[in-house]
Each structure stands twice: as structure tokens, then as C-alpha cells.
Amino acid sequence: TQLLEQSPQFLSIQEGENLTVYCNSSSVFSSLQWYRQEPGEGPVLLVTVVTGGEVKKLKRLTFQFGDARKDSSLHITAAQPGDTGLYLCAGAKPGSARQLTFGSGTQLTVLP
Amino acid sequence: GAGVSQSPSNKVTEKGKDVELRCDPISGHTALYWYRQSLGQGLEFLIYFQGNSAPDKSGLPSDRFSAERTGGSVSTLTIQRTQQEDSAVYLCASSLSRGRSYNEQFFGPGTRLTVL
């Protein structure tokens, strides 16, 4: 059972466009993290959100945690080829804080 | 300082053989995790160590899989009698354990296992 559903699974856009990636679940998470992974490497943490409704910005990336702490979104403004990669959301369930449940990932390709 | 390292980076083996994968975590990180990732997919949790003990082994897919950690540092993941469905990238991560619920996990580059 996939507890975290990510959409879209694949996304190919032109440089300069905006995009949003979604991470949804029926479960409540105590925290949610977003990672980016490039080929041949392990995932690298981008952000952690903890509070329902929380919004965090990292340069052109905006992360939001849903009010009910069941979903999250990642919005990228003016995408660049360097944003290309596999974006993964990962949630920590209450009581199992150190075990992360990962989503299936969104493969983003930004074309120059 | 050095990040998480894993060896080998690639392993090709024949069905039925045993394999051993190694993870060297970041020095001082007490928590260590093993994940499995199929091509372009998300990560499947396998096992978590706090120090040398494994409080959560729930993700190990079968009794052919085992892991140990010695000295609170290096960990090995052993797969016995490998099957073709074991082919995947095996990722190791480590983190500090300060009691927060959202410690950052630092990942190694993974070991790509191919079972022929």
C-alpha cells in the first residue's frame, strides 16, 4: 500500500515555466520532507515542514504543508534545467518519527 | 567531512548467490537506515538502527534479508540466495538522533544490485 501518492509521476516542461508537484495521503504525518535525487546519487533534503498550513520558500521553490498535515505541495517558479531530477516527498508518522514513508516520486525534466 | 559511503557501487550476481552490501555512515550519526529503490521509484524502507540495535525490522521483505551494525558505525546488509526481484538500488542513510521527529537523513550514493 502506497501511503503517499505523488502526482504527476512524470513532468517535462520548458525552461521558465512554473510547475506544482503534489504529495497526498489519507494519513496524518507529524512532519513532511521533500528530497531531490539526481541519477547515481542518493536523495538530498530540500526542506522539512512540521506545522499544518506551513509555507516555506527556498529561492524559487515554495513548499506548503496542508492544514490537516495529510498533504503537501512543491511549487517551482521559472524552472531551470538545473531543477531536473526526481522529487520525493517523505512523511514521518506520529509515533514512528524516525521511519520515513516515501512517495513514489515525480521525475521532472526541464528543457532548455 | 566525509558523507555516507557505500560499497560496492555496483554488484552483479547470479541468482542463488549471497551478497553483502556495506554502509559507512557519517561519523557521530547514531541512526542508520537501509532503503531499497526500484528504477525511478520511491524508496522502500527496509530497516533502521539506533546504535547497534534494530528496533524496527518491519521492512525486511523476507528472511533472506538481514542486517547488522557493529560499533555503532558500519552496517552490512546481507541478502541470501538472491532472486531476480532483489535487483534494485540499495540506499543507506544516517542521521543524528536528538529526539526530534524530523532529523535530516543524509544518503549515500547507493549500491546498484543486479541479479541475473
mmCIF file with all atom_site columns, all heavy atoms in Angstrom, chain A residues 31 33 35 37 42-43 45 86 97-100 102-104, chain B residues 33 37 42-43 48 56 97 99 101-102 104-105 107-108:
data_model
loop_
_atom_site.group_PDB
_atom_site.id
_atom_site.type_symbol
_atom_site.label_atom_id
_atom_site.label_alt_id
_atom_site.label_comp_id
_atom_site.label_asym_id
_atom_site.label_entity_id
_atom_site.label_seq_id
_atom_site.pdbx_PDB_ins_code
_atom_site.Cartn_x
_atom_site.Cartn_y
_atom_site.Cartn_z
_atom_site.occupancy
_atom_site.B_iso_or_equiv
_atom_site.pdbx_formal_charge
_atom_site.auth_seq_id
_atom_site.auth_comp_id
_atom_site.auth_asym_id
_atom_site.auth_atom_id
_atom_site.pdbx_PDB_model_num
ATOM 1   N N   . SER A 1 31  ? 5.506  15.289 10.399 1.00 0.00 ? 31  SER A N   1
ATOM 2   C CA  . SER A 1 31  ? 6.354  16.173 9.610  1.00 0.00 ? 31  SER A CA  1
ATOM 3   C C   . SER A 1 31  ? 6.438  15.614 8.200  1.00 0.00 ? 31  SER A C   1
ATOM 4   O O   . SER A 1 31  ? 6.163  14.428 7.975  1.00 0.00 ? 31  SER A O   1
ATOM 5   C CB  . SER A 1 31  ? 7.758  16.289 10.208 1.00 0.00 ? 31  SER A CB  1
ATOM 6   O OG  . SER A 1 31  ? 8.427  15.047 10.182 1.00 0.00 ? 31  SER A OG  1
ATOM 7   N N   . GLN A 1 33  ? 8.925  15.873 4.571  1.00 0.00 ? 33  GLN A N   1
ATOM 8   C CA  . GLN A 1 33  ? 10.153 16.369 3.961  1.00 0.00 ? 33  GLN A CA  1
ATOM 9   C C   . GLN A 1 33  ? 10.073 16.199 2.445  1.00 0.00 ? 33  GLN A C   1
ATOM 10  O O   . GLN A 1 33  ? 9.391  15.319 1.943  1.00 0.00 ? 33  GLN A O   1
ATOM 11  C CB  . GLN A 1 33  ? 11.363 15.588 4.501  1.00 0.00 ? 33  GLN A CB  1
ATOM 12  C CG  . GLN A 1 33  ? 11.551 15.731 6.005  1.00 0.00 ? 33  GLN A CG  1
ATOM 13  C CD  . GLN A 1 33  ? 12.738 14.954 6.533  1.00 0.00 ? 33  GLN A CD  1
ATOM 14  O OE1 . GLN A 1 33  ? 13.077 13.896 6.031  1.00 0.00 ? 33  GLN A OE1 1
ATOM 15  N NE2 . GLN A 1 33  ? 13.379 15.482 7.567  1.00 0.00 ? 33  GLN A NE2 1
ATOM 16  N N   . TYR A 1 35  ? 12.722 15.802 -0.835 1.00 0.00 ? 35  TYR A N   1
ATOM 17  C CA  . TYR A 1 35  ? 14.073 15.500 -1.261 1.00 0.00 ? 35  TYR A CA  1
ATOM 18  C C   . TYR A 1 35  ? 14.150 15.610 -2.784 1.00 0.00 ? 35  TYR A C   1
ATOM 19  O O   . TYR A 1 35  ? 13.160 15.419 -3.495 1.00 0.00 ? 35  TYR A O   1
ATOM 20  C CB  . TYR A 1 35  ? 14.471 14.064 -0.880 1.00 0.00 ? 35  TYR A CB  1
ATOM 21  C CG  . TYR A 1 35  ? 14.680 13.809 0.591  1.00 0.00 ? 35  TYR A CG  1
ATOM 22  C CD1 . TYR A 1 35  ? 13.605 13.613 1.446  1.00 0.00 ? 35  TYR A CD1 1
ATOM 23  C CD2 . TYR A 1 35  ? 15.964 13.743 1.128  1.00 0.00 ? 35  TYR A CD2 1
ATOM 24  C CE1 . TYR A 1 35  ? 13.806 13.355 2.799  1.00 0.00 ? 35  TYR A CE1 1
ATOM 25  C CE2 . TYR A 1 35  ? 16.177 13.482 2.466  1.00 0.00 ? 35  TYR A CE2 1
ATOM 26  C CZ  . TYR A 1 35  ? 15.092 13.286 3.295  1.00 0.00 ? 35  TYR A CZ  1
ATOM 27  O OH  . TYR A 1 35  ? 15.293 13.034 4.630  1.00 0.00 ? 35  TYR A OH  1
ATOM 28  N N   . GLN A 1 37  ? 16.597 13.994 -5.944 1.00 0.00 ? 37  GLN A N   1
ATOM 29  C CA  . GLN A 1 37  ? 17.584 12.965 -6.234 1.00 0.00 ? 37  GLN A CA  1
ATOM 30  C C   . GLN A 1 37  ? 18.014 13.070 -7.692 1.00 0.00 ? 37  GLN A C   1
ATOM 31  O O   . GLN A 1 37  ? 17.171 13.159 -8.588 1.00 0.00 ? 37  GLN A O   1
ATOM 32  C CB  . GLN A 1 37  ? 17.009 11.572 -5.964 1.00 0.00 ? 37  GLN A CB  1
ATOM 33  C CG  . GLN A 1 37  ? 17.999 10.437 -6.143 1.00 0.00 ? 37  GLN A CG  1
ATOM 34  C CD  . GLN A 1 37  ? 17.377 9.089  -5.837 1.00 0.00 ? 37  GLN A CD  1
ATOM 35  O OE1 . GLN A 1 37  ? 16.159 8.919  -5.865 1.00 0.00 ? 37  GLN A OE1 1
ATOM 36  N NE2 . GLN A 1 37  ? 18.214 8.100  -5.534 1.00 0.00 ? 37  GLN A NE2 1
ATOM 37  N N   . GLY A 1 42  ? 22.253 9.638  -3.986 1.00 0.00 ? 42  GLY A N   1
ATOM 38  C CA  . GLY A 1 42  ? 21.163 9.498  -3.041 1.00 0.00 ? 42  GLY A CA  1
ATOM 39  C C   . GLY A 1 42  ? 20.350 10.772 -2.964 1.00 0.00 ? 42  GLY A C   1
ATOM 40  O O   . GLY A 1 42  ? 20.787 11.838 -3.405 1.00 0.00 ? 42  GLY A O   1
ATOM 41  N N   . PRO A 1 43  ? 19.139 10.697 -2.410 1.00 0.00 ? 43  PRO A N   1
ATOM 42  C CA  . PRO A 1 43  ? 18.312 11.904 -2.255 1.00 0.00 ? 43  PRO A CA  1
ATOM 43  C C   . PRO A 1 43  ? 18.976 12.919 -1.329 1.00 0.00 ? 43  PRO A C   1
ATOM 44  O O   . PRO A 1 43  ? 19.675 12.556 -0.383 1.00 0.00 ? 43  PRO A O   1
ATOM 45  C CB  . PRO A 1 43  ? 17.025 11.357 -1.622 1.00 0.00 ? 43  PRO A CB  1
ATOM 46  C CG  . PRO A 1 43  ? 17.014 9.895  -1.925 1.00 0.00 ? 43  PRO A CG  1
ATOM 47  C CD  . PRO A 1 43  ? 18.439 9.486  -1.943 1.00 0.00 ? 43  PRO A CD  1
ATOM 48  N N   . LEU A 1 45  ? 18.048 16.345 1.047  1.00 0.00 ? 45  LEU A N   1
ATOM 49  C CA  . LEU A 1 45  ? 16.931 17.049 1.664  1.00 0.00 ? 45  LEU A CA  1
ATOM 50  C C   . LEU A 1 45  ? 16.846 18.496 1.173  1.00 0.00 ? 45  LEU A C   1
ATOM 51  O O   . LEU A 1 45  ? 17.842 19.217 1.137  1.00 0.00 ? 45  LEU A O   1
ATOM 52  C CB  . LEU A 1 45  ? 17.090 17.041 3.185  1.00 0.00 ? 45  LEU A CB  1
ATOM 53  C CG  . LEU A 1 45  ? 15.982 17.749 3.966  1.00 0.00 ? 45  LEU A CG  1
ATOM 54  C CD1 . LEU A 1 45  ? 14.677 16.966 3.839  1.00 0.00 ? 45  LEU A CD1 1
ATOM 55  C CD2 . LEU A 1 45  ? 16.365 17.901 5.434  1.00 0.00 ? 45  LEU A CD2 1
ATOM 56  N N   . LEU A 1 86  ? 14.580 13.801 -9.670 1.00 0.00 ? 86  LEU A N   1
ATOM 57  C CA  . LEU A 1 86  ? 13.466 13.068 -9.075 1.00 0.00 ? 86  LEU A CA  1
ATOM 58  C C   . LEU A 1 86  ? 13.137 13.719 -7.741 1.00 0.00 ? 86  LEU A C   1
ATOM 59  O O   . LEU A 1 86  ? 13.989 13.797 -6.859 1.00 0.00 ? 86  LEU A O   1
ATOM 60  C CB  . LEU A 1 86  ? 13.842 11.602 -8.874 1.00 0.00 ? 86  LEU A CB  1
ATOM 61  C CG  . LEU A 1 86  ? 12.777 10.697 -8.249 1.00 0.00 ? 86  LEU A CG  1
ATOM 62  C CD1 . LEU A 1 86  ? 11.597 10.520 -9.201 1.00 0.00 ? 86  LEU A CD1 1
ATOM 63  C CD2 . LEU A 1 86  ? 13.384 9.329  -7.893 1.00 0.00 ? 86  LEU A CD2 1
ATOM 64  N N   . ALA A 1 97  ? 8.469  8.340  14.399 1.00 0.00 ? 97  ALA A N   1
ATOM 65  C CA  . ALA A 1 97  ? 9.054  9.547  13.842 1.00 0.00 ? 97  ALA A CA  1
ATOM 66  C C   . ALA A 1 97  ? 10.298 9.307  13.021 1.00 0.00 ? 97  ALA A C   1
ATOM 67  O O   . ALA A 1 97  ? 10.567 10.033 12.078 1.00 0.00 ? 97  ALA A O   1
ATOM 68  C CB  . ALA A 1 97  ? 9.342  10.531 14.963 1.00 0.00 ? 97  ALA A CB  1
ATOM 69  N N   . ARG A 1 98  ? 11.092 8.300  13.375 1.00 0.00 ? 98  ARG A N   1
ATOM 70  C CA  . ARG A 1 98  ? 12.342 8.141  12.660 1.00 0.00 ? 98  ARG A CA  1
ATOM 71  C C   . ARG A 1 98  ? 12.202 7.316  11.394 1.00 0.00 ? 98  ARG A C   1
ATOM 72  O O   . ARG A 1 98  ? 13.130 7.211  10.613 1.00 0.00 ? 98  ARG A O   1
ATOM 73  C CB  . ARG A 1 98  ? 13.410 7.555  13.582 1.00 0.00 ? 98  ARG A CB  1
ATOM 74  C CG  . ARG A 1 98  ? 13.818 8.554  14.647 1.00 0.00 ? 98  ARG A CG  1
ATOM 75  C CD  . ARG A 1 98  ? 15.011 8.116  15.424 1.00 0.00 ? 98  ARG A CD  1
ATOM 76  N NE  . ARG A 1 98  ? 15.394 9.142  16.384 1.00 0.00 ? 98  ARG A NE  1
ATOM 77  C CZ  . ARG A 1 98  ? 14.828 9.297  17.568 1.00 0.00 ? 98  ARG A CZ  1
ATOM 78  N NH1 . ARG A 1 98  ? 13.867 8.484  17.933 1.00 0.00 ? 98  ARG A NH1 1
ATOM 79  N NH2 . ARG A 1 98  ? 15.203 10.254 18.376 1.00 0.00 ? 98  ARG A NH2 1
ATOM 80  N N   . GLN A 1 99  ? 11.053 6.712  11.199 1.00 0.00 ? 99  GLN A N   1
ATOM 81  C CA  . GLN A 1 99  ? 10.855 5.958  9.972  1.00 0.00 ? 99  GLN A CA  1
ATOM 82  C C   . GLN A 1 99  ? 10.087 6.820  8.989  1.00 0.00 ? 99  GLN A C   1
ATOM 83  O O   . GLN A 1 99  ? 8.970  7.227  9.261  1.00 0.00 ? 99  GLN A O   1
ATOM 84  C CB  . GLN A 1 99  ? 10.069 4.681  10.238 1.00 0.00 ? 99  GLN A CB  1
ATOM 85  C CG  . GLN A 1 99  ? 9.809  3.872  8.969  1.00 0.00 ? 99  GLN A CG  1
ATOM 86  C CD  . GLN A 1 99  ? 8.969  2.644  9.237  1.00 0.00 ? 99  GLN A CD  1
ATOM 87  O OE1 . GLN A 1 99  ? 8.989  2.105  10.344 1.00 0.00 ? 99  GLN A OE1 1
ATOM 88  N NE2 . GLN A 1 99  ? 8.228  2.206  8.243  1.00 0.00 ? 99  GLN A NE2 1
ATOM 89  N N   . LEU A 1 100 ? 10.692 7.122  7.863  1.00 0.00 ? 100 LEU A N   1
ATOM 90  C CA  . LEU A 1 100 ? 10.051 7.923  6.843  1.00 0.00 ? 100 LEU A CA  1
ATOM 91  C C   . LEU A 1 100 ? 9.346  7.040  5.832  1.00 0.00 ? 100 LEU A C   1
ATOM 92  O O   . LEU A 1 100 ? 9.868  6.007  5.431  1.00 0.00 ? 100 LEU A O   1
ATOM 93  C CB  . LEU A 1 100 ? 11.089 8.789  6.116  1.00 0.00 ? 100 LEU A CB  1
ATOM 94  C CG  . LEU A 1 100 ? 11.760 9.888  6.915  1.00 0.00 ? 100 LEU A CG  1
ATOM 95  C CD1 . LEU A 1 100 ? 12.801 10.594 6.069  1.00 0.00 ? 100 LEU A CD1 1
ATOM 96  C CD2 . LEU A 1 100 ? 10.743 10.884 7.449  1.00 0.00 ? 100 LEU A CD2 1
ATOM 97  N N   . PHE A 1 102 ? 8.200  7.149  2.063  1.00 0.00 ? 102 PHE A N   1
ATOM 98  C CA  . PHE A 1 102 ? 8.474  7.922  0.866  1.00 0.00 ? 102 PHE A CA  1
ATOM 99  C C   . PHE A 1 102 ? 7.364  7.781  -0.163 1.00 0.00 ? 102 PHE A C   1
ATOM 100 O O   . PHE A 1 102 ? 6.756  6.708  -0.311 1.00 0.00 ? 102 PHE A O   1
ATOM 101 C CB  . PHE A 1 102 ? 9.793  7.479  0.230  1.00 0.00 ? 102 PHE A CB  1
ATOM 102 C CG  . PHE A 1 102 ? 11.007 8.086  0.875  1.00 0.00 ? 102 PHE A CG  1
ATOM 103 C CD1 . PHE A 1 102 ? 11.523 7.549  2.036  1.00 0.00 ? 102 PHE A CD1 1
ATOM 104 C CD2 . PHE A 1 102 ? 11.608 9.199  0.327  1.00 0.00 ? 102 PHE A CD2 1
ATOM 105 C CE1 . PHE A 1 102 ? 12.646 8.108  2.645  1.00 0.00 ? 102 PHE A CE1 1
ATOM 106 C CE2 . PHE A 1 102 ? 12.735 9.770  0.919  1.00 0.00 ? 102 PHE A CE2 1
ATOM 107 C CZ  . PHE A 1 102 ? 13.243 9.226  2.074  1.00 0.00 ? 102 PHE A CZ  1
ATOM 108 N N   . GLY A 1 103 ? 7.108  8.868  -0.885 1.00 0.00 ? 103 GLY A N   1
ATOM 109 C CA  . GLY A 1 103 ? 6.228  8.814  -2.029 1.00 0.00 ? 103 GLY A CA  1
ATOM 110 C C   . GLY A 1 103 ? 6.929  8.168  -3.206 1.00 0.00 ? 103 GLY A C   1
ATOM 111 O O   . GLY A 1 103 ? 8.131  7.881  -3.158 1.00 0.00 ? 103 GLY A O   1
ATOM 112 N N   . SER A 1 104 ? 6.176  7.963  -4.275 1.00 0.00 ? 104 SER A N   1
ATOM 113 C CA  . SER A 1 104 ? 6.701  7.266  -5.448 1.00 0.00 ? 104 SER A CA  1
ATOM 114 C C   . SER A 1 104 ? 7.566  8.162  -6.323 1.00 0.00 ? 104 SER A C   1
ATOM 115 O O   . SER A 1 104 ? 8.242  7.693  -7.221 1.00 0.00 ? 104 SER A O   1
ATOM 116 C CB  . SER A 1 104 ? 5.553  6.696  -6.272 1.00 0.00 ? 104 SER A CB  1
ATOM 117 O OG  . SER A 1 104 ? 4.618  7.712  -6.561 1.00 0.00 ? 104 SER A OG  1
ATOM 118 N N   . TYR B 2 33  ? 19.829 3.883  8.392  1.00 0.00 ? 33  TYR B N   1
ATOM 119 C CA  . TYR B 2 33  ? 18.663 3.353  7.695  1.00 0.00 ? 33  TYR B CA  1
ATOM 120 C C   . TYR B 2 33  ? 19.100 2.670  6.401  1.00 0.00 ? 33  TYR B C   1
ATOM 121 O O   . TYR B 2 33  ? 20.026 3.131  5.723  1.00 0.00 ? 33  TYR B O   1
ATOM 122 C CB  . TYR B 2 33  ? 17.704 4.485  7.322  1.00 0.00 ? 33  TYR B CB  1
ATOM 123 C CG  . TYR B 2 33  ? 17.351 5.429  8.447  1.00 0.00 ? 33  TYR B CG  1
ATOM 124 C CD1 . TYR B 2 33  ? 18.221 6.444  8.824  1.00 0.00 ? 33  TYR B CD1 1
ATOM 125 C CD2 . TYR B 2 33  ? 16.143 5.313  9.124  1.00 0.00 ? 33  TYR B CD2 1
ATOM 126 C CE1 . TYR B 2 33  ? 17.905 7.321  9.849  1.00 0.00 ? 33  TYR B CE1 1
ATOM 127 C CE2 . TYR B 2 33  ? 15.816 6.192  10.142 1.00 0.00 ? 33  TYR B CE2 1
ATOM 128 C CZ  . TYR B 2 33  ? 16.696 7.185  10.499 1.00 0.00 ? 33  TYR B CZ  1
ATOM 129 O OH  . TYR B 2 33  ? 16.376 8.038  11.514 1.00 0.00 ? 33  TYR B OH  1
ATOM 130 N N   . GLN B 2 37  ? 15.331 0.952  -3.655 1.00 0.00 ? 37  GLN B N   1
ATOM 131 C CA  . GLN B 2 37  ? 14.689 1.802  -4.653 1.00 0.00 ? 37  GLN B CA  1
ATOM 132 C C   . GLN B 2 37  ? 14.730 1.106  -6.006 1.00 0.00 ? 37  GLN B C   1
ATOM 133 O O   . GLN B 2 37  ? 15.809 0.806  -6.514 1.00 0.00 ? 37  GLN B O   1
ATOM 134 C CB  . GLN B 2 37  ? 15.399 3.164  -4.745 1.00 0.00 ? 37  GLN B CB  1
ATOM 135 C CG  . GLN B 2 37  ? 14.737 4.142  -5.689 1.00 0.00 ? 37  GLN B CG  1
ATOM 136 C CD  . GLN B 2 37  ? 15.419 5.501  -5.701 1.00 0.00 ? 37  GLN B CD  1
ATOM 137 O OE1 . GLN B 2 37  ? 16.625 5.605  -5.529 1.00 0.00 ? 37  GLN B OE1 1
ATOM 138 N NE2 . GLN B 2 37  ? 14.639 6.563  -5.881 1.00 0.00 ? 37  GLN B NE2 1
ATOM 139 N N   . GLY B 2 42  ? 10.045 5.541  -5.727 1.00 0.00 ? 42  GLY B N   1
ATOM 140 C CA  . GLY B 2 42  ? 10.309 5.999  -4.378 1.00 0.00 ? 42  GLY B CA  1
ATOM 141 C C   . GLY B 2 42  ? 11.104 4.979  -3.598 1.00 0.00 ? 42  GLY B C   1
ATOM 142 O O   . GLY B 2 42  ? 11.467 3.918  -4.108 1.00 0.00 ? 42  GLY B O   1
ATOM 143 N N   . LEU B 2 43  ? 11.380 5.299  -2.352 1.00 0.00 ? 43  LEU B N   1
ATOM 144 C CA  . LEU B 2 43  ? 12.202 4.453  -1.508 1.00 0.00 ? 43  LEU B CA  1
ATOM 145 C C   . LEU B 2 43  ? 11.350 3.555  -0.631 1.00 0.00 ? 43  LEU B C   1
ATOM 146 O O   . LEU B 2 43  ? 10.382 3.995  -0.024 1.00 0.00 ? 43  LEU B O   1
ATOM 147 C CB  . LEU B 2 43  ? 13.097 5.319  -0.612 1.00 0.00 ? 43  LEU B CB  1
ATOM 148 C CG  . LEU B 2 43  ? 14.384 5.843  -1.222 1.00 0.00 ? 43  LEU B CG  1
ATOM 149 C CD1 . LEU B 2 43  ? 14.125 6.759  -2.399 1.00 0.00 ? 43  LEU B CD1 1
ATOM 150 C CD2 . LEU B 2 43  ? 15.208 6.541  -0.173 1.00 0.00 ? 43  LEU B CD2 1
ATOM 151 N N   . TYR B 2 48  ? 15.983 -0.021 10.293 1.00 0.00 ? 48  TYR B N   1
ATOM 152 C CA  . TYR B 2 48  ? 16.517 1.159  10.973 1.00 0.00 ? 48  TYR B CA  1
ATOM 153 C C   . TYR B 2 48  ? 17.325 0.704  12.178 1.00 0.00 ? 48  TYR B C   1
ATOM 154 O O   . TYR B 2 48  ? 16.893 -0.189 12.912 1.00 0.00 ? 48  TYR B O   1
ATOM 155 C CB  . TYR B 2 48  ? 15.340 2.048  11.383 1.00 0.00 ? 48  TYR B CB  1
ATOM 156 C CG  . TYR B 2 48  ? 15.528 2.904  12.608 1.00 0.00 ? 48  TYR B CG  1
ATOM 157 C CD1 . TYR B 2 48  ? 16.481 3.916  12.635 1.00 0.00 ? 48  TYR B CD1 1
ATOM 158 C CD2 . TYR B 2 48  ? 14.713 2.729  13.727 1.00 0.00 ? 48  TYR B CD2 1
ATOM 159 C CE1 . TYR B 2 48  ? 16.633 4.718  13.754 1.00 0.00 ? 48  TYR B CE1 1
ATOM 160 C CE2 . TYR B 2 48  ? 14.865 3.530  14.852 1.00 0.00 ? 48  TYR B CE2 1
ATOM 161 C CZ  . TYR B 2 48  ? 15.820 4.518  14.859 1.00 0.00 ? 48  TYR B CZ  1
ATOM 162 O OH  . TYR B 2 48  ? 15.970 5.312  15.965 1.00 0.00 ? 48  TYR B OH  1
ATOM 163 N N   . ASP B 2 56  ? 13.426 -1.526 14.556 1.00 0.00 ? 56  ASP B N   1
ATOM 164 C CA  . ASP B 2 56  ? 12.403 -1.679 13.534 1.00 0.00 ? 56  ASP B CA  1
ATOM 165 C C   . ASP B 2 56  ? 12.961 -2.464 12.357 1.00 0.00 ? 56  ASP B C   1
ATOM 166 O O   . ASP B 2 56  ? 13.735 -1.935 11.575 1.00 0.00 ? 56  ASP B O   1
ATOM 167 C CB  . ASP B 2 56  ? 11.898 -0.309 13.067 1.00 0.00 ? 56  ASP B CB  1
ATOM 168 C CG  . ASP B 2 56  ? 10.675 -0.415 12.183 1.00 0.00 ? 56  ASP B CG  1
ATOM 169 O OD1 . ASP B 2 56  ? 10.343 -1.533 11.736 1.00 0.00 ? 56  ASP B OD1 1
ATOM 170 O OD2 . ASP B 2 56  ? 10.049 0.626  11.930 1.00 0.00 ? 56  ASP B OD2 1
ATOM 171 N N   . SER B 2 97  ? 20.547 11.688 16.163 1.00 0.00 ? 97  SER B N   1
ATOM 172 C CA  . SER B 2 97  ? 19.352 11.281 16.891 1.00 0.00 ? 97  SER B CA  1
ATOM 173 C C   . SER B 2 97  ? 19.257 12.114 18.147 1.00 0.00 ? 97  SER B C   1
ATOM 174 O O   . SER B 2 97  ? 19.793 11.767 19.179 1.00 0.00 ? 97  SER B O   1
ATOM 175 C CB  . SER B 2 97  ? 19.440 9.802  17.244 1.00 0.00 ? 97  SER B CB  1
ATOM 176 O OG  . SER B 2 97  ? 18.280 9.382  17.922 1.00 0.00 ? 97  SER B OG  1
ATOM 177 N N   . GLY B 2 99  ? 16.248 13.241 19.286 1.00 0.00 ? 99  GLY B N   1
ATOM 178 C CA  . GLY B 2 99  ? 14.921 13.192 19.840 1.00 0.00 ? 99  GLY B CA  1
ATOM 179 C C   . GLY B 2 99  ? 13.902 13.973 19.044 1.00 0.00 ? 99  GLY B C   1
ATOM 180 O O   . GLY B 2 99  ? 12.717 13.873 19.268 1.00 0.00 ? 99  GLY B O   1
ATOM 181 N N   . SER B 2 101 ? 11.588 14.793 15.819 1.00 0.00 ? 101 SER B N   1
ATOM 182 C CA  . SER B 2 101 ? 10.858 13.875 14.947 1.00 0.00 ? 101 SER B CA  1
ATOM 183 C C   . SER B 2 101 ? 11.241 14.043 13.492 1.00 0.00 ? 101 SER B C   1
ATOM 184 O O   . SER B 2 101 ? 10.766 13.329 12.640 1.00 0.00 ? 101 SER B O   1
ATOM 185 C CB  . SER B 2 101 ? 9.355  14.096 15.096 1.00 0.00 ? 101 SER B CB  1
ATOM 186 O OG  . SER B 2 101 ? 9.010  15.394 14.645 1.00 0.00 ? 101 SER B OG  1
ATOM 187 N N   . TYR B 2 102 ? 12.086 14.976 13.169 1.00 0.00 ? 102 TYR B N   1
ATOM 188 C CA  . TYR B 2 102 ? 12.344 15.230 11.765 1.00 0.00 ? 102 TYR B CA  1
ATOM 189 C C   . TYR B 2 102 ? 13.817 15.463 11.501 1.00 0.00 ? 102 TYR B C   1
ATOM 190 O O   . TYR B 2 102 ? 14.206 16.390 10.819 1.00 0.00 ? 102 TYR B O   1
ATOM 191 C CB  . TYR B 2 102 ? 11.526 16.430 11.292 1.00 0.00 ? 102 TYR B CB  1
ATOM 192 C CG  . TYR B 2 102 ? 11.574 17.638 12.205 1.00 0.00 ? 102 TYR B CG  1
ATOM 193 C CD1 . TYR B 2 102 ? 12.506 18.645 12.016 1.00 0.00 ? 102 TYR B CD1 1
ATOM 194 C CD2 . TYR B 2 102 ? 10.680 17.761 13.261 1.00 0.00 ? 102 TYR B CD2 1
ATOM 195 C CE1 . TYR B 2 102 ? 12.544 19.743 12.836 1.00 0.00 ? 102 TYR B CE1 1
ATOM 196 C CE2 . TYR B 2 102 ? 10.705 18.861 14.083 1.00 0.00 ? 102 TYR B CE2 1
ATOM 197 C CZ  . TYR B 2 102 ? 11.642 19.851 13.878 1.00 0.00 ? 102 TYR B CZ  1
ATOM 198 O OH  . TYR B 2 102 ? 11.676 20.932 14.700 1.00 0.00 ? 102 TYR B OH  1
ATOM 199 N N   . GLU B 2 104 ? 17.208 15.275 9.686  1.00 0.00 ? 104 GLU B N   1
ATOM 200 C CA  . GLU B 2 104 ? 17.566 15.108 8.296  1.00 0.00 ? 104 GLU B CA  1
ATOM 201 C C   . GLU B 2 104 ? 18.324 13.817 8.113  1.00 0.00 ? 104 GLU B C   1
ATOM 202 O O   . GLU B 2 104 ? 19.228 13.501 8.873  1.00 0.00 ? 104 GLU B O   1
ATOM 203 C CB  . GLU B 2 104 ? 18.432 16.267 7.823  1.00 0.00 ? 104 GLU B CB  1
ATOM 204 C CG  . GLU B 2 104 ? 18.917 16.125 6.375  1.00 0.00 ? 104 GLU B CG  1
ATOM 205 C CD  . GLU B 2 104 ? 19.735 17.299 5.918  1.00 0.00 ? 104 GLU B CD  1
ATOM 206 O OE1 . GLU B 2 104 ? 19.979 18.217 6.720  1.00 0.00 ? 104 GLU B OE1 1
ATOM 207 O OE2 . GLU B 2 104 ? 20.149 17.299 4.738  1.00 0.00 ? 104 GLU B OE2 1
ATOM 208 N N   . GLN B 2 105 ? 17.950 13.077 7.110  1.00 0.00 ? 105 GLN B N   1
ATOM 209 C CA  . GLN B 2 105 ? 18.671 11.866 6.753  1.00 0.00 ? 105 GLN B CA  1
ATOM 210 C C   . GLN B 2 105 ? 19.624 12.188 5.603  1.00 0.00 ? 105 GLN B C   1
ATOM 211 O O   . GLN B 2 105 ? 19.219 12.783 4.613  1.00 0.00 ? 105 GLN B O   1
ATOM 212 C CB  . GLN B 2 105 ? 17.710 10.749 6.354  1.00 0.00 ? 105 GLN B CB  1
ATOM 213 C CG  . GLN B 2 105 ? 16.855 10.266 7.513  1.00 0.00 ? 105 GLN B CG  1
ATOM 214 C CD  . GLN B 2 105 ? 16.026 9.048  7.179  1.00 0.00 ? 105 GLN B CD  1
ATOM 215 O OE1 . GLN B 2 105 ? 16.283 8.350  6.209  1.00 0.00 ? 105 GLN B OE1 1
ATOM 216 N NE2 . GLN B 2 105 ? 15.017 8.783  7.994  1.00 0.00 ? 105 GLN B NE2 1
ATOM 217 N N   . PHE B 2 107 ? 21.971 10.679 2.747  1.00 0.00 ? 107 PHE B N   1
ATOM 218 C CA  . PHE B 2 107 ? 22.024 9.440  1.980  1.00 0.00 ? 107 PHE B CA  1
ATOM 219 C C   . PHE B 2 107 ? 23.380 9.215  1.331  1.00 0.00 ? 107 PHE B C   1
ATOM 220 O O   . PHE B 2 107 ? 24.052 10.162 0.917  1.00 0.00 ? 107 PHE B O   1
ATOM 221 C CB  . PHE B 2 107 ? 20.954 9.453  0.882  1.00 0.00 ? 107 PHE B CB  1
ATOM 222 C CG  . PHE B 2 107 ? 19.567 9.213  1.390  1.00 0.00 ? 107 PHE B CG  1
ATOM 223 C CD1 . PHE B 2 107 ? 18.818 10.255 1.913  1.00 0.00 ? 107 PHE B CD1 1
ATOM 224 C CD2 . PHE B 2 107 ? 19.011 7.945  1.342  1.00 0.00 ? 107 PHE B CD2 1
ATOM 225 C CE1 . PHE B 2 107 ? 17.537 10.044 2.383  1.00 0.00 ? 107 PHE B CE1 1
ATOM 226 C CE2 . PHE B 2 107 ? 17.726 7.721  1.806  1.00 0.00 ? 107 PHE B CE2 1
ATOM 227 C CZ  . PHE B 2 107 ? 16.986 8.766  2.335  1.00 0.00 ? 107 PHE B CZ  1
ATOM 228 N N   . GLY B 2 108 ? 23.729 7.952  1.209  1.00 0.00 ? 108 GLY B N   1
ATOM 229 C CA  . GLY B 2 108 ? 24.858 7.563  0.391  1.00 0.00 ? 108 GLY B CA  1
ATOM 230 C C   . GLY B 2 108 ? 24.435 7.455  -1.062 1.00 0.00 ? 108 GLY B C   1
ATOM 231 O O   . GLY B 2 108 ? 23.251 7.606  -1.381 1.00 0.00 ? 108 GLY B O   1
#
